[in-house]
Amino acid sequence: DMIPLLPTPGSLLNTEQAAAFLNLSPTTLTTWRVRRSDGPPFVRIGRAVRYRLNDLQLWLDGQTHRSTAEY
């Protein structure tokens, strides 16, 4: 039996994996990329779009707020 590899901070995730990590739909990430919103940073390798796990974590940390008044 093979032991599944755990992602490392520099691991590259596809849109579906990144969306699952963020508990979002893949469509949301795609929409954010197209509209150039403040979504997480991504890497384009040819036609492939990938997200670094550590970038996702940093972006998620930046979304932490203590009150809705902070917006």
Side-chain angles (χ1 to χ4, degrees):
D1 293 333
M2 293 190 68
I3 299 171
L5 296 175
L6 296 174
T8 62
S11 292
L12 293 174
L13 307 180
N14 64 29
T15 300
E16 290 75 19
Q17 294 167 323
F21 176 78
L22 297 171
N23 199 26
L24 298 169
S25 75
T27 303
T28 298
L29 286 181
T30 301
T31 300
W32 285 349
R33 280 197 318 268
V34 171
R35 293 186 181 171
R36 298 182 179 184
S37 73
D38 292 332
F42 61 92
V43 177
R44 187 173 288 282
I45 304 169
R47 293 174 55 188
V49 172
R50 297 293 182 262
Y51 295 85
R52 285 188 190 101
L53 184 57
N54 55 344
D55 286 343
L56 293 176
Q57 187 62 58
L58 288 170
W59 178 83
L60 192 58
D61 291 346
Q63 304 309 304
T64 303
H65 301 282
R66 296 191 183 277
S67 164
T68 55
E70 290 182 40
Y71 291 100

